[in-house]
Amino acid sequence: MPPRGRRTESLSKDAIVAAATEILDADGEDALTFRALAARLETGAGAIYWHVANKDELLTAAAADAIDRTLTGVDGIADPREALRAIALRVFDTVDDHPWVATHLARGLGQPGMIAVLDAVGQRVEELGVPTDRLFDTATAVLSYILGGAGQNAANARRHAQDAQAGSRAEALGQESQRWAGLDVDRYPFVRAMADSLRDHDDREQFLAGVELMLDGIGAQKR
Amino acid sequence: MPPRGRRTESLSKDAIVAAATEILDADGEDALTFRALAARLETGAGAIYWHVANKDELLTAAAADAIDRTLTGVDGIADPREALRAIALRVFDTVDDHPWVATHLARGLGQPGMIAVLDAVGQRVEELGVPTDRLFDTATAVLSYILGGAGQNAANARRHAQDAQAGSRAEALGQESQRWAGLDVDRYPFVRAMADSLRDHDDREQFLAGVELMLDGIGAQKR
DNA sequence: ACCTGAACACCGTTCAAGT
DNA sequence: ACCTGAACACCGTTCAAGT
């Protein structure tokens, strides 16, 4: 056993980001503090600042890693429609598994790694035959939907996890469905009518239905 | 002049939320602290806790008010397509004017006020003739796009405002455009090719183009 | 019932001091 | 060059004490 004092293994930005990701995945965004991170890395809180400028850089780097991992493999899919579905689902699942990533997806193209997502989406949109002068608008619209849909799902999942203290996710959904069914029919006729749909829906399928809607829109605009 | 001591006008949740909104609009999300809020209200920090449970409730209430204001007037538009464009633009402009609202839009249907947005969107989607079994998926997809697009725009605006320290928004956009033009053509061919489009694009028009894409998708799915 | 303001338990960040 | 850990300037929140 080494004597108390200097660390034996040296710190690195990669090791710090990896440890931060573990904390974020295990205990959520609030649990990531420099003190907790330092404890896990068996170092002092100030040591981390030698490798990362501040907490924002740390979170940005952790999210960028997660986003980079998201896209691996999708370039092997030949059909552009299939590829777009796959890209969308990858982002969706990444956010579902790591809700803390959603915060950084909301930063849009300012978030490192997001350029790669836009490029992947844009290439497939181009392959679908969208005219050059509509490529940018179309690709960013698809990206906006993907990020919005993934973010909404993560928010709903977080909320249902909170609501259902001891119960299951299905129970929380059932409770919200009942709340919808009890809404004023004059003020919220649509949402009220959707109470059953809410109870029975599947988040992934619903998200994919939106992707399909955009693909159909792209197809319609070609005519 | 009243003697130093007890406040003359009594506090209320509404007054607190209004003051919080002023701080948020004037100086951003980080500027809202209970101490700053108490100073503006000429009271003690602890007094606020008599009226709101905590900071989250305060921010949620402020965002809910902003969202409620967003929808006033859109129910007077008869044509469902026009109404959907108007709803989308209202949300977009609200987030553009009050970037701090974006954080709470990301909470989705858990955010008070959001049910009203979903209902407004859903009613118009229904009027477009979408079949009953696709109403829920379609309405939530449109909502996801609206929230995603508005959020992305707010993030980009925030970033460009930061980047362009003394310069204009157009300068910041030009700089980012040059960065895109300098990207590796093998790794990011699409984004690189979009450099000019980025420089010349208009955020609102781009957002609306996405709304149109969804409307066209809805039209295509009816067949 | 409502407000005051000091106190508490935390945080991100800095920095003199070490090796 | 890299790390330590105490210190600083803040926060959100609580609560005994006032009116």
Side-chain angles (χ1 to χ4, degrees):
Chain A
M1 189 187 272
R4 185 167 298 273
R6 217 78 190 311
R7 299 173 34 77
T8 44
E9 297 160 40
S10 68
L11 233 44
S12 69
K13 181 165 176 177
D14 282 352
I16 291 168
V17 170
T21 301
E22 286 174 27
I23 293 176
L24 288 164
D25 284 342
D27 301 312
E29 213 156 350
D30 290 343
L32 182 66
T33 69
F34 275 76
R35 284 166 179 82
L37 188 56
R40 176 178 282 256
L41 290 165
E42 297 180 69
T43 182
I48 298 166
Y49 283 90
W50 186 263
H51 301 276
V52 300
N54 51 41
K55 191 172 184 179
D56 190 68
E57 185 186 305
L58 178 59
L59 281 164
T60 299
D65 280 3
I67 296 168
D68 282 344
R69 282 193 296 273
T70 292
L71 286 181
T72 54
V74 292
D75 53 352
I77 304 172
D79 179 62
R81 267 169 238 273
E82 274 308 315
L84 279 171
R85 291 185 191 107
I87 293 165
L89 262 189
R90 294 292 193 95
V91 174
F92 182 90
D93 287 338
T94 295
V95 176
D96 203 44
D97 290 340
H98 316 286
W100 54 272
V101 175
T103 313
H104 288 257
L105 290 189
R107 298 205 174 180
L109 300 173
Q111 168 70 43
M114 199 69 81
I115 293 289
V117 181
L118 175 60
D119 205 89
V121 168
Q123 285 184 40
R124 303 324 175 123
V125 166
E126 197 165 8
E127 287 167 21
L128 284 175
V130 171
T132 309
D133 64 345
R134 273 211 294 261
L135 271 181
F136 190 49
D137 285 354
T138 306
T140 54
V142 172
L143 183 65
S144 284
Y145 170 72
I146 293 174
L147 300 180
Q152 291 296 109
N153 179 65
N156 292 338
R158 226 184 302 217
R159 185 158 39 88
H160 291 149
Q162 277 184 338
D163 284 3
Q165 293 157 353
S168 68
R169 183 173 154 67
E171 274 178 53
L173 213 59
Q175 281 178 22
E176 183 147 25
S177 169
Q178 287 192 354
R179 223 173 301 140
W180 283 20
L183 286 172
D184 180 4
V185 71
D186 288 322
R187 278 191 68 182
Y188 305 113
F190 179 79
V191 174
R192 187 190 149 98
M194 291 299 113
D196 286 351
S197 300
L198 175 68
R199 177 170 23 81
D200 299 332
H201 89 289
D202 176 87
D203 289 325
R204 268 170 73 102
E205 280 175 26
Q206 187 176 30
F207 174 73
L208 273 179
V211 175
E212 228 55 43
L213 187 64
M214 304 218 77
L215 289 175
D216 289 344
I218 291 171
Q221 289 195 344
K222 278 203 296 185
R223 271 171 249 141
Chain B
M1 189 185 272
R4 184 167 300 275
R6 215 82 190 310
R7 300 173 33 77
T8 44
E9 297 161 41
S10 68
L11 233 45
S12 69
K13 181 164 175 177
D14 282 351
I16 291 168
V17 170
T21 301
E22 286 174 26
I23 294 175
L24 289 164
D25 283 342
D27 301 312
E29 212 157 348
D30 290 344
L32 182 66
T33 68
F34 275 76
R35 284 165 179 83
L37 188 56
R40 175 178 282 256
L41 291 165
E42 297 181 69
T43 182
I48 299 167
Y49 282 89
W50 186 263
H51 301 276
V52 300
N54 51 41
K55 191 172 184 178
D56 190 67
E57 185 186 305
L58 177 60
L59 281 164
T60 299
D65 280 3
I67 296 168
D68 282 345
R69 281 192 296 273
T70 293
L71 286 182
T72 54
V74 292
D75 53 351
I77 304 172
D79 179 62
R81 267 168 237 272
E82 274 308 315
L84 278 171
R85 290 184 192 106
I87 293 165
L89 262 189
R90 294 291 192 95
V91 174
F92 183 89
D93 287 337
T94 295
V95 176
D96 203 44
D97 291 339
H98 316 286
W100 54 272
V101 176
T103 313
H104 288 258
L105 291 189
R107 299 206 175 181
L109 300 173
Q111 169 69 44
M114 199 68 81
I115 293 289
V117 182
L118 175 58
D119 205 88
V121 168
Q123 286 184 39
R124 304 325 175 125
V125 166
E126 197 166 7
E127 287 167 22
L128 284 175
V130 171
T132 309
D133 64 345
R134 274 210 294 261
L135 272 181
F136 190 50
D137 285 355
T138 306
T140 54
V142 172
L143 183 64
S144 284
Y145 171 72
I146 293 173
L147 300 180
Q152 290 298 109
N153 179 65
N156 291 338
R158 225 184 303 215
R159 185 158 40 88
H160 291 148
Q162 276 185 338
D163 284 4
Q165 292 156 353
S168 69
R169 183 174 154 68
E171 275 179 51
L173 212 59
Q175 281 178 22
E176 182 147 26
S177 169
Q178 286 192 354
R179 223 172 301 141
W180 283 21
L183 287 172
D184 180 2
V185 71
D186 289 323
R187 279 192 67 182
Y188 305 113
F190 178 80
V191 174
R192 187 189 150 100
M194 292 299 113
D196 286 351
S197 301
L198 174 69
R199 175 171 24 81
D200 299 331
H201 90 290
D202 176 86
D203 289 325
R204 268 171 72 102
E205 280 176 27
Q206 188 175 30
F207 174 73
L208 273 179
V211 175
E212 228 54 44
L213 187 63
M214 303 218 76
L215 290 174
D216 289 343
I218 291 171
Q221 288 194 345
K222 279 203 296 185
R223 273 170 246 141

